[in-house]
Amino acid sequence: MKKISFIVVILLLVISSDMSAQCDVKNRLLADGTMVYYFDPAVFYTTKSKSLKINIVTDKEHYFIALQPTPFPAKKEGKKIDDDLIVHLADQKSYKLSHYDTQYMRNDSIMQVLYLMDDKDVDAFSKFEAVVAEINMKGTEFIRDYNFKLHKDAIMEQLNCFLKKEEEK
């Protein structure tokens, strides 16, 4: 009986910590003085040869989708990535996000590409899961299609956390 009670307590702790961590917003001050708010990236796609992590980033005026693809091109080639991102949502529509910036972080061990979400599309991204992303990865191959297998609702959940915090103000 004690073992069952212990297991139930542990499960409740795991579930409650999972629920509170869903809106675990982090922040970082950029070199230009801008404060950005973000979540830890969620794995959307993974195979033996490639993976894609995604998270939402905001400066409280605009929302960005940040992609961290692996493998990624060398810095010289990667800085040439300037095409838009096409995301297909569960509403059967595709959305074009404008390329905003390509960054190399942590001694160039991580590449992150930021795409600006159009204000008119924020509502759709907050209501529908992501299904596919089309990315032109110059320097590695042409268009990469990522059919999301994991955490399809991460964009939606992260965006809703930011929107909820804005409503509370």
Side-chain angles (χ1 to χ4, degrees):
M1 184 66 178
K2 288 182 181 181
K3 285 183 179 180
I4 293 174
S5 298
F6 180 73
I7 291 172
V8 168
V9 169
I10 296 298
L11 284 173
L12 289 173
L13 287 173
V14 168
I15 291 170
S16 66
S17 68
D18 214 24
M19 289 169 59
S20 65
Q22 287 178 357
C23 284
D24 186 17
V25 177
K26 301 177 190 253
N27 61 48
R28 178 175 50 221
L29 186 63
L30 301 180
D32 67 358
T34 304
M35 181 67 76
V36 292
Y37 303 87
Y38 64 96
F39 291 90
D40 286 330
V43 177
F44 262 44
Y45 181 90
T46 188
T47 66
K48 288 182 180 179
S49 62
K50 59 185 175 179
S51 71
L52 181 67
K53 293 181 181 178
I54 294 183
N55 64 312
I56 298 289
V57 177
T58 184
D59 59 5
K60 296 215 174 176
E61 289 182 42
H62 303 96
Y63 294 99
F64 303 89
I65 289 184
L67 302 182
Q68 293 180 0
T70 304
F72 54 84
K75 198 171 194 176
K76 183 178 177 184
E77 288 296 315
K79 288 293 187 175
K80 296 177 185 175
I81 295 174
D82 59 2
D83 288 350
D84 296 336
L85 170 70
I86 307 294
V87 177
H88 301 268
L89 298 182
D91 66 351
Q92 307 298 317
K93 295 180 182 175
S94 60
Y95 299 86
K96 183 184 273 191
L97 286 78
S98 302
H99 176 269
Y100 185 77
D101 192 20
T102 301
Q103 307 166 341
Y104 283 78
M105 306 179 302
R106 296 190 193 142
N107 295 323
D108 298 342
S109 63
I110 297 174
M111 177 184 136
Q112 177 173 279
V113 186
L114 290 173
Y115 295 94
L116 178 62
M117 191 180 298
D118 196 315
D119 291 341
K120 68 178 175 40
D121 297 334
V122 169
D123 188 52
F125 277 94
S126 71
K127 291 180 181 173
F128 299 100
E129 293 179 339
V131 180
V132 177
E134 298 174 25
I135 308 162
N136 187 348
M137 292 297 293
K138 296 176 180 168
T140 55
E141 54 191 78
F142 292 104
I143 304 288
R144 278 191 197 173
D145 284 351
Y146 291 93
N147 292 305
F148 297 142
K149 307 283 187 215
L150 307 168
H151 307 289
K152 292 179 176 188
D153 58 353
I155 292 173
M156 184 175 64
E157 288 178 358
Q158 291 179 12
L159 188 56
N160 282 323
C161 284
F162 282 131
L163 296 172
K164 183 175 141 186
K165 286 184 185 274
E166 283 182 13
E167 284 178 9
E168 291 174 358
K169 290 181 180 181

